[in-house]
């Protein structure tokens, strides 16, 4: 047996306890074909599992007494891996996309940026609308808030404003989340 390096973390068992690793004094046993056998000692249950050519697997360790089942542990682990892979496949990370505007934006530029905003919302991503002020534009904050209200109004059917426009230094920021 190979030695573990000294700086390696201790090995930890993950997953359910199996066969002789079950430490409870008594367990609730479910047989190989799914019938409830009752509360017995783990030693008797292990003998029954070995006679069936299967393993004794602790399914619910937090119950009182713990619930164990006679089953093929390799098949059980395979099923769990398949479930985990399926869950990962169906999971989708919501990204935050950013679209930057200027206070006195032309109509065509506004339309192009709004197409991006609607595309991001339709794909299920959040959109961070940033309105950047330069120089003397800071004196006309009302133009910026009008523009952000216009953006919010134009995407009302696709998303909802999650954080209202707020001023952060020289820019106003608003977050729009997709409708679910």
């Amino acid at each position: 047996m190979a030695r573990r390096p000294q700086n390696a973390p201790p090995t930890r068992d993950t997953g359910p306890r199996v066969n002789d690793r079950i430490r409870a004094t008594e367990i609730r046993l479910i047989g190989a074909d799914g019938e409830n056998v009752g509360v017995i000692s783990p030693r008797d249950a292990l003998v029954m599992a070995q006679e069936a050519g299967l393993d004794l697997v602790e399914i619910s360790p937090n119950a009182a007494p713990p619930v164990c089942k006679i089953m093929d542990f390799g098949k059980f682990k395979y099923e769990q891996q398949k479930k985990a892979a399926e869950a990962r496949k169906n999971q989708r990370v919501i990204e935050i996309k950013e679209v930057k505007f200027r206070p006195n934006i032309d109509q065509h530029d506004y339309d192009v940026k709004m197409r991006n905003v609607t595309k991001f919302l339709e794909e299920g991503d959040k959109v961070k609308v940033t309105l950047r002020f330069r120089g003397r534009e800071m004196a006309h904050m009302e133009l910026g808030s009008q523009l952000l209200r216009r953006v919010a109004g134009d995407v009302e059917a696709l998303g909802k404003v999650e954080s209202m426009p707020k001023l952060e230094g020289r820019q106003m920021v608003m977050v729009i989340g997709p409708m679910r």
Side-chain angles (χ1 to χ4, degrees):
M1 187 167 142
R3 277 185 40 168
R4 207 167 42 87
Q6 291 213 312
N7 59 355
T11 56
R12 279 188 38 193
D13 276 343
T14 56
R17 287 188 270 245
V18 184
N19 296 334
D20 51 355
R21 292 185 176 225
I22 299 171
R23 291 183 181 75
T25 55
E26 57 181 22
I27 60 168
R28 183 171 307 280
L29 181 67
I30 298 171
D33 46 354
E35 87 283 357
N36 189 354
V37 176
V39 178
I40 62 171
S41 75
R43 193 176 303 117
D44 296 340
L46 192 57
V47 169
M48 290 171 69
Q50 287 170 343
E51 284 174 4
L54 297 169
D55 300 305
L56 181 65
V57 181
E58 189 176 46
I59 290 181
S60 179
N62 299 331
V67 178
C68 297
K69 186 173 182 179
I70 296 175
M71 63 169 70
D72 182 3
F73 183 61
K75 186 176 176 184
F76 176 70
K77 270 179 73 171
Y78 173 73
E79 293 291 332
Q80 280 191 327
Q81 284 176 344
K82 273 182 71 170
K83 282 181 190 171
E86 189 69 28
R88 273 195 306 276
K89 189 173 78 174
N90 292 336
Q91 177 176 56
R92 186 181 186 294
V93 177
I94 294 179
E95 292 182 37
I96 296 183
K97 306 283 189 169
E98 184 174 19
V99 179
K100 295 183 179 181
F101 287 85
R102 297 291 314 271
N104 46 1
I105 188 169
D106 287 334
Q107 183 59 42
H108 180 263
D109 295 339
Y110 176 82
D111 293 340
V112 169
K113 289 182 183 282
M114 284 309 293
R115 259 191 306 236
N116 283 331
V117 170
T118 54
K119 183 180 79 172
F120 295 147
L121 289 172
E122 285 168 352
E123 289 172 358
D125 294 321
K126 289 185 179 184
V127 179
K128 179 180 179 183
V129 179
T130 306
L131 183 65
R132 185 151 195 134
F133 295 100
R134 282 200 192 137
R136 293 190 184 142
E137 291 173 346
M138 289 295 286
H140 303 287
M141 298 298 238
E142 69 281 351
L143 289 175
S145 53
Q146 277 178 349
L147 182 68
L148 289 178
R149 279 197 299 273
R150 181 175 161 201
V151 170
D154 289 349
V155 296
E156 222 173 305
L158 295 170
K160 60 182 183 298
V161 177
E162 290 186 356
S163 73
M164 294 307 286
K166 59 179 177 271
L167 192 66
E168 296 176 357
R170 288 194 156 270
Q171 57 189 19
M172 269 187 174
V173 178
M174 174 175 72
V175 178
I176 303 171
M179 288 285 191
R180 289 282 165 204

